[in-house]
Amino acid sequence: MDKLRKHIEQVISLTDAEFDHVKSFFTLKKARKNQYLLNEGDEAKHEFLVLSGIYKVFYVDAQDREYIVQFARENWWMSDYEAFFRQKAAGMYIECILPGEVLYSTLETRERLSKELHKMEHFFRVKLTNGYVAQQQRIKLLLSSTPQQRYEEFSKLYPDLLQQVPKKLIAEYLGVSRETLSRLYAG
Amino acid sequence: MDKLRKHIEQVISLTDAEFDHVKSFFTLKKARKNQYLLNEGDEAKHEFLVLSGIYKVFYVDAQDREYIVQFARENWWMSDYEAFFRQKAAGMYIECILPGEVLYSTLETRERLSKELHKMEHFFRVKLTNGYVAQQQRIKLLLSSTPQQRYEEFSKLYPDLLQQVPKKLIAEYLGVSRETLSRLYAG
DNA sequence: ATTATCGTGTGATTTGAATCACACTTTTAA
DNA sequence: TTAAAAGTGTGATTCAAATCACACGATAAT
């Protein structure tokens, strides 16, 4: 559980009592390889903070093609946030790629902690700000760049993921076919 | 200035004194057609709340192609947020398409109001949450859909913009060529 | 140990959208 | 009021990436 405290204290500082209170809203869960933490159609009740392992957040289109919205590793939050924030049925899946542990909690937790502790609302705002900026960059990448540029950008941002996850999945993240991606670092 | 109060009070409520305080950090600016509110290379000092008019937030690639990241109308916030939050030089432009008025303030304002008034931090968190969800939807659209689907989705979300802004700009928002977009509603 | 299944490279073919090119209309500016 | 610029439709051509097809080694399952 100490990882949670460290994670939060990268942004704000908490007394022991405050942390104990915060902690009480989170539950630990082990994830095995290929295990699903969220299924399309489920109520998106939880958000997850990754302690270890690698996960993919993805959706499937009418032609059964998969698209990865996010890879998540240590210290990343993940959920189908569209569904989570609006408390609707999930349109996405979360699957464990490399085994590890996550903490999970609910929207109620987020709102309640934000209300009770100004500091925690600040924490969530900062996190959201970072996420917003990251998404903006992703939008720009998808709008204007060639497969080549997307691959290079990805390699720069996530050199370790490049090693740890199958190229096939990276293609699904970049919005490029497996074959095209393969030819990028061959030619 | 009453529009600012209304805008904020859609999320939280403020006393007169509180609002006066908040108000004091914002400055009114009229925008004429084709006027630039932000230029690439400028320090991204300001964020804008649109009171009236229509604006586009866009960037230009090495081949001089334009890509629109956001259209903004009444009650929308806009900036090059990547640059604004990190206080770096802007990589984007903001241009007025239809004349109107905006309010602007700084990152310092946002941080200070958030610190002074828990309610205001809540306000910004809620706004950020909404923006995050909207961007998530945009990413999904760019990742998986055909030009046809993007156009249909856009028509559903912003039927009024469809009337008010040149199709050429809509093409730049959707990441499709002008000609392809034109053929979508002809064929 | 032996079969499946998965991940990956690479060639051949197809295809959808970009690009190029031009006409026509509507705004905007001199 | 007249010329220039911007917005838009539509055809012909090009091209980059998707798709299809197959081979092969590495995992994973029985």
Side-chain angles (χ1 to χ4, degrees):
Chain A
M1 266 306 199
D2 199 48
K3 273 194 181 178
L4 175 61
R5 184 157 193 176
K6 255 188 159 163
H7 176 75
I8 296 175
E9 293 206 327
Q10 283 174 352
V11 180
I12 58 172
S13 53
L14 294 173
T15 65
D16 289 353
E18 282 168 344
F19 175 68
D20 283 346
H21 180 64
V22 168
K23 185 174 89 170
S24 73
F25 291 98
F26 287 84
T27 310
L28 184 70
K29 184 186 184 94
K30 279 182 205 285
R32 305 186 57 235
K33 187 169 177 177
N34 300 322
Q35 184 180 351
Y36 281 66
L37 300 181
L38 177 69
N39 276 286
E40 187 185 356
D42 287 359
E43 190 195 348
K45 257 182 76 180
H46 297 123
E47 63 178 332
F48 302 88
L49 172 64
V50 176
L51 300 181
S52 59
I54 299 183
Y55 308 79
K56 60 172 179 173
V57 183
F58 68 103
Y59 64 101
V60 178
D61 74 7
Q63 285 80 50
D64 259 321
R65 266 184 290 251
E66 292 189 14
Y67 300 89
I68 294 178
V69 166
Q70 188 195 350
F71 287 113
R73 294 170 306 179
E74 191 171 343
N75 287 323
W76 285 61
W77 293 80
M78 60 182 182
S79 185
D80 174 351
Y81 275 113
E82 187 182 338
F84 176 76
F85 285 129
R86 309 233 181 288
Q87 296 281 275
K88 296 187 313 182
M92 302 211 257
Y93 301 85
I94 298 179
E95 183 180 352
C96 175
I97 300 175
L98 282 184
E101 294 182 330
V102 298
L103 293 173
Y104 64 88
S105 67
T106 65
L107 181 60
E108 210 208 319
T109 294
R110 178 181 274 247
E111 295 303 326
R112 182 161 163 192
L113 289 177
S114 291
K115 197 167 194 173
E116 291 175 345
L117 268 174
H118 186 168
K119 278 189 285 190
M120 283 303 291
E121 183 131 44
H122 181 72
F123 170 78
F124 285 120
R125 182 172 69 86
V126 167
K127 283 288 158 193
L128 226 25
T129 300
N130 294 339
Y132 188 89
V133 168
Q135 280 192 330
Q136 182 95 292
Q137 293 172 324
R138 179 108 192 262
I139 287 172
K140 286 174 72 176
L141 207 70
L142 289 174
L143 253 186
S144 63
S145 64
T146 62
Q148 174 82 51
Q149 291 170 309
R150 292 184 202 181
Y151 177 70
E152 284 166 7
E153 187 68 18
F154 185 89
S155 310
K156 209 188 301 171
L157 283 172
Y158 312 110
D160 45 334
L161 283 183
L162 215 59
Q163 309 304 120
Q164 293 176 291
V165 314
K167 313 285 187 202
K168 188 190 145 193
L169 296 186
I170 293 172
E172 287 172 20
Y173 180 87
L174 298 178
V176 182
S177 77
R178 213 203 80 227
E179 294 93 332
T180 297
L181 181 64
S182 165
R183 285 184 249 262
L184 284 181
Y185 41 78
Chain B
M1 268 309 200
D2 198 47
K3 273 191 178 176
L4 175 61
R5 184 157 193 175
K6 256 186 157 162
H7 175 75
I8 296 174
E9 293 206 327
Q10 283 175 353
V11 180
I12 57 171
S13 54
L14 295 173
T15 65
D16 288 352
E18 282 168 344
F19 176 67
D20 284 344
H21 180 65
V22 169
K23 185 172 90 172
S24 73
F25 290 98
F26 287 84
T27 309
L28 184 69
K29 185 188 185 93
K30 277 181 206 286
R32 305 184 58 235
K33 187 168 176 178
N34 299 322
Q35 184 179 350
Y36 281 67
L37 300 181
L38 177 68
N39 276 285
E40 187 186 354
D42 287 359
E43 190 196 347
K45 256 182 77 179
H46 297 123
E47 64 178 331
F48 303 88
L49 172 63
V50 175
L51 300 179
S52 58
I54 299 182
Y55 307 80
K56 61 172 178 174
V57 182
F58 68 102
Y59 64 100
V60 178
D61 73 7
Q63 286 80 50
D64 259 322
R65 267 184 290 251
E66 291 189 14
Y67 300 88
I68 294 178
V69 165
Q70 188 196 351
F71 286 114
R73 295 171 304 179
E74 193 171 341
N75 287 324
W76 285 61
W77 293 79
M78 59 183 182
S79 186
D80 174 350
Y81 275 114
E82 187 183 336
F84 177 77
F85 285 129
R86 309 235 183 286
Q87 297 280 275
K88 295 188 314 179
M92 301 213 257
Y93 302 85
I94 299 180
E95 183 180 353
C96 175
I97 299 176
L98 283 183
E101 294 183 331
V102 299
L103 292 173
Y104 65 88
S105 67
T106 65
L107 181 61
E108 209 208 319
T109 294
R110 177 181 276 247
E111 296 303 327
R112 183 163 161 188
L113 289 177
S114 291
K115 196 165 195 176
E116 291 175 346
L117 269 175
H118 187 169
K119 278 190 283 191
M120 282 303 293
E121 183 131 44
H122 182 71
F123 170 78
F124 285 120
R125 182 171 69 87
V126 167
K127 283 289 158 188
L128 226 26
T129 301
N130 294 339
Y132 188 89
V133 168
Q135 282 192 330
Q136 182 96 293
Q137 292 171 325
R138 179 106 190 265
I139 287 170
K140 286 174 72 177
L141 207 69
L142 289 174
L143 253 187
S144 63
S145 65
T146 64
Q148 175 82 50
Q149 291 170 308
R150 294 185 201 182
Y151 177 70
E152 283 165 8
E153 187 68 18
F154 185 89
S155 310
K156 210 189 299 170
L157 283 172
Y158 313 110
D160 44 335
L161 283 183
L162 216 59
Q163 308 305 120
Q164 295 176 289
V165 314
K167 314 283 187 203
K168 189 191 144 193
L169 296 187
I170 293 172
E172 288 171 19
Y173 181 88
L174 298 178
V176 183
S177 77
R178 214 203 78 227
E179 295 93 330
T180 297
L181 180 64
S182 165
R183 286 183 247 263
L184 285 180
Y185 41 77

